[in-house]
Amino acid sequence: MTEKRPFDILNGSLNNTVVVGLKGGTELRGTMVSYDVHMNIVLEKAQQLVNGEVKRGIGTVLLRGDSVIYISPSGME
Amino acid sequence: MTEKRPFDILNGSLNNTVVVGLKGGTELRGTMVSYDVHMNIVLEKAQQLVNGEVKRGIGTVLLRGDSVIYISPSGME
Amino acid sequence: MTEKRPFDILNGSLNNTVVVGLKGGTELRGTMVSYDVHMNIVLEKAQQLVNGEVKRGIGTVLLRGDSVIYISPSGME
Amino acid sequence: MTEKRPFDILNGSLNNTVVVGLKGGTELRGTMVSYDVHMNIVLEKAQQLVNGEVKRGIGTVLLRGDSVIYISPSGME
Amino acid sequence: MTEKRPFDILNGSLNNTVVVGLKGGTELRGTMVSYDVHMNIVLEKAQQLVNGEVKRGIGTVLLRGDSVIYISPSGME
Amino acid sequence: MTEKRPFDILNGSLNNTVVVGLKGGTELRGTMVSYDVHMNIVLEKAQQLVNGEVKRGIGTVLLRGDSVIYISPSGME
Amino acid sequence: MTEKRPFDILNGSLNNTVVVGLKGGTELRGTMVSYDVHMNIVLEKAQQLVNGEVKRGIGTVLLRGDSVIYISPSGME
């Protein structure tokens, strides 16, 4: 059975590419290398997206959980 | 008797299509596969809606409860 | 004596029509079938209002308490 | 001695007309019939004001404390 | 020694004129007659200011601490 | 060793000039005479800045910690 | 093994250059000399960036954790 509880999605996405939406409308894509119970998230090889297009590279970035609106793993369907 | 308490709505919508409204005005439609006490929600086959029309497909997405404004199951009336 | 404490208003409105204002300016009208201590609210036969006019039908909807600004029962005066 | 502590203002305004300012800029005038420790407030015969003019009647309304910015009793000076 | 800790400023301003800035940009001037640990504040003879000019009189008003950005006693330097 | 932990910066700036940025974009400069664990801050001889230029004098002002975005001591490098 | 948990990123960036994004859209670059469990952060030699270009120098600055959206160490890939 595949677990799909909220934090299972995070755990199942470790070391995979995710898209994260932040308050204020910023959207980032990168490899999720860690998270914690506050939904603080670390992305590597992160890129800022505008309308799905890459705007700039950011490298490693720590996202504060309080700012996260959604997290979408790519290619999970 | 059909239970209609707030979390009963969530439980009764598991594996069904829901529309979720987020802070900032984003609206998503997808199959709700899980939720937790913080109203963190996982949708599969999610689509972003603009004025009720599909704007883009998102696939699986974890929505942070703190960002949720409303959740509407389709076809429950 | 008619009780009018804040949660009495909610209890007295069960199964009656209410108008709920949400953060961001959305206004909904529907039949309130439940609420909880967080002011999470379930409406049935809900309609989104714009300037008091019906914009669209929504059916059943769970409103997250944190997003609620006001709740007004219709015809209570 | 007249008490003027914050919650004394609320208590002293029971069954009197108050003007309440809400987040987002909405201003309401009505008879305050109850409040609780969260500053949830019930108004009766409430009217929405725009620039001090009545925009529409609302009747009874429960205002969520978290949305309240200010409460002003009329004619207390 | 003159105490200047944050709440000393409030205590030292009792029954004096203060200017209070609120979230959303509203600025009020009035006589501070009370406050509590949440920084809920009661002003009397309050006036709403726009660019430092009086826009309208408000009389007595209870300001919710959560909405307060700054409080400035007049003429304390 | 010079301590540089977050609250050391506050302590080390007592009675010195600081620039404080507030939610909503307001920027103030003044002498910091006190702070507490909530980052409530008291400035004296405060001035509101717009694009780094003095817009108006404010005198003594209590800034609510919840509204503070950043605090910068001048001339610490 | 290189640790990459959220707070490891902060610890690993001590005395290195980081870019910090704040609520409201402000972006700062500087040397991170300390942080605490609330993600309060102290930068030295900080500069405010607009579209990645330096707008002005700020020197030492304490950023309140509640305002932080993201923190990106430079050159960690």
Side-chain angles (χ1 to χ4, degrees):
Chain A
M1 181 188 147
T2 307
E3 291 286 352
K4 294 285 180 135
R5 291 172 302 181
F7 276 87
D8 292 325
I9 293 292
L10 291 178
N11 199 51
S13 299
L14 278 175
N15 301 314
N16 290 318
T17 299
V18 299
V19 173
V20 182
L22 300 177
K23 286 182 185 168
T26 300
E27 200 169 55
L28 299 173
R29 183 171 57 198
T31 304
M32 189 173 72
V33 294
S34 72
Y35 65 89
D36 63 21
V37 294
H38 304 292
M39 278 205 205
N40 296 318
I41 287 173
V42 179
L43 299 184
E44 293 190 342
K45 296 177 188 162
Q47 296 171 311
Q48 184 177 352
L49 306 179
V50 175
N51 293 320
E53 300 294 318
V54 176
K55 185 181 168 193
R56 59 170 177 164
I58 294 180
T60 300
V61 67
L62 164 58
L63 308 175
R64 204 161 158 271
D66 184 49
S67 299
V68 172
I69 293 184
Y70 59 86
I71 304 163
S72 178
S74 297
M76 281 190 67
E77 280 178 293
Chain B
M1 181 188 147
T2 307
E3 291 285 352
K4 294 286 180 133
R5 291 172 302 181
F7 276 87
D8 292 325
I9 293 292
L10 290 177
N11 200 51
S13 298
L14 278 174
N15 301 314
N16 290 318
T17 300
V18 298
V19 174
V20 182
L22 300 177
K23 286 182 186 169
T26 300
E27 200 168 56
L28 299 173
R29 182 171 57 199
T31 304
M32 189 173 72
V33 295
S34 72
Y35 65 89
D36 63 23
V37 293
H38 304 292
M39 278 205 205
N40 297 317
I41 287 172
V42 179
L43 299 184
E44 293 190 342
K45 296 176 188 163
Q47 296 171 311
Q48 184 177 352
L49 305 179
V50 175
N51 293 320
E53 301 294 318
V54 176
K55 184 181 169 193
R56 58 169 178 166
I58 294 180
T60 300
V61 66
L62 164 57
L63 307 175
R64 202 159 160 274
D66 184 50
S67 299
V68 172
I69 292 184
Y70 59 85
I71 304 162
S72 177
S74 296
M76 282 191 65
E77 279 178 294
Chain C
M1 182 187 147
T2 307
E3 291 286 352
K4 295 284 180 134
R5 291 172 301 182
F7 276 86
D8 292 325
I9 292 293
L10 290 177
N11 199 52
S13 298
L14 278 174
N15 300 314
N16 289 320
T17 299
V18 298
V19 174
V20 182
L22 301 176
K23 287 181 185 169
T26 300
E27 200 168 55
L28 299 172
R29 182 170 58 198
T31 305
M32 189 173 72
V33 295
S34 72
Y35 65 90
D36 63 22
V37 293
H38 305 291
M39 278 204 203
N40 296 317
I41 287 172
V42 179
L43 300 184
E44 293 189 342
K45 296 176 188 165
Q47 295 172 312
Q48 184 177 352
L49 306 178
V50 175
N51 293 320
E53 300 294 318
V54 176
K55 184 182 169 194
R56 59 170 178 166
I58 294 181
T60 301
V61 65
L62 164 56
L63 307 175
R64 200 158 161 275
D66 184 50
S67 298
V68 171
I69 292 184
Y70 58 86
I71 304 162
S72 178
S74 296
M76 282 192 65
E77 280 177 293
Chain D
M1 179 187 150
T2 307
E3 292 286 352
K4 294 284 181 137
R5 291 172 301 182
F7 276 86
D8 292 325
I9 292 292
L10 291 178
N11 199 52
S13 298
L14 279 174
N15 300 314
N16 289 320
T17 300
V18 298
V19 173
V20 182
L22 300 177
K23 287 181 185 170
T26 300
E27 199 168 56
L28 299 173
R29 182 171 56 198
T31 304
M32 189 173 71
V33 295
S34 71
Y35 65 89
D36 62 23
V37 293
H38 305 291
M39 277 202 203
N40 296 317
I41 288 172
V42 179
L43 300 183
E44 293 189 341
K45 296 176 186 163
Q47 296 172 312
Q48 184 177 352
L49 306 179
V50 175
N51 294 320
E53 300 295 317
V54 175
K55 183 182 169 194
R56 59 170 178 166
I58 294 180
T60 300
V61 66
L62 165 56
L63 307 175
R64 201 159 161 273
D66 184 50
S67 299
V68 171
I69 291 183
Y70 58 85
I71 304 162
S72 178
S74 297
M76 282 190 64
E77 280 176 292
Chain E
M1 179 184 149
T2 307
E3 291 286 351
K4 293 286 180 129
R5 291 172 301 182
F7 276 87
D8 292 325
I9 293 292
L10 291 177
N11 199 52
S13 298
L14 279 174
N15 301 313
N16 290 320
T17 300
V18 297
V19 173
V20 183
L22 300 176
K23 286 180 186 170
T26 299
E27 200 168 56
L28 299 172
R29 183 171 56 198
T31 304
M32 189 173 71
V33 295
S34 72
Y35 65 90
D36 63 23
V37 293
H38 305 291
M39 278 203 203
N40 296 317
I41 287 173
V42 179
L43 300 183
E44 293 190 339
K45 296 176 187 164
Q47 295 172 311
Q48 185 177 351
L49 305 179
V50 175
N51 294 321
E53 300 295 318
V54 175
K55 185 182 169 194
R56 60 170 177 165
I58 294 180
T60 300
V61 66
L62 164 56
L63 307 176
R64 203 160 160 271
D66 183 50
S67 299
V68 171
I69 292 184
Y70 59 84
I71 304 162
S72 177
S74 297
M76 281 189 64
E77 281 177 291
Chain F
M1 180 185 147
T2 308
E3 291 286 351
K4 293 286 179 135
R5 290 172 302 181
F7 275 87
D8 292 325
I9 293 292
L10 291 177
N11 199 50
S13 299
L14 278 174
N15 300 313
N16 290 319
T17 300
V18 298
V19 174
V20 183
L22 300 177
K23 286 181 186 169
T26 299
E27 199 167 57
L28 299 173
R29 183 170 57 197
T31 304
M32 189 173 71
V33 295
S34 72
Y35 65 88
D36 62 23
V37 294
H38 306 290
M39 279 203 203
N40 296 317
I41 287 172
V42 179
L43 300 183
E44 293 191 340
K45 296 175 187 163
Q47 296 171 310
Q48 184 177 351
L49 305 179
V50 175
N51 294 320
E53 301 295 317
V54 176
K55 185 181 169 194
R56 60 170 176 165
I58 294 180
T60 299
V61 66
L62 164 56
L63 307 175
R64 204 162 157 271
D66 184 49
S67 299
V68 172
I69 292 185
Y70 59 86
I71 304 162
S72 177
S74 296
M76 281 191 65
E77 281 178 292
Chain G
M1 180 186 148
T2 307
E3 291 286 351
K4 294 285 180 135
R5 291 173 301 182
F7 275 87
D8 292 326
I9 293 292
L10 291 177
N11 199 51
S13 298
L14 278 174
N15 301 313
N16 289 319
T17 300
V18 298
V19 174
V20 182
L22 300 177
K23 288 182 184 167
T26 299
E27 200 169 55
L28 299 173
R29 183 171 57 198
T31 303
M32 188 173 72
V33 295
S34 71
Y35 65 89
D36 63 22
V37 295
H38 305 291
M39 278 204 205
N40 296 316
I41 287 173
V42 179
L43 299 184
E44 293 190 340
K45 297 177 188 161
Q47 296 171 311
Q48 184 177 352
L49 305 179
V50 175
N51 293 321
E53 301 294 317
V54 176
K55 184 181 169 193
R56 59 170 177 165
I58 294 180
T60 300
V61 66
L62 164 57
L63 308 174
R64 204 161 157 272
D66 184 49
S67 299
V68 172
I69 293 184
Y70 58 87
I71 304 163
S72 177
S74 297
M76 282 191 65
E77 281 177 295

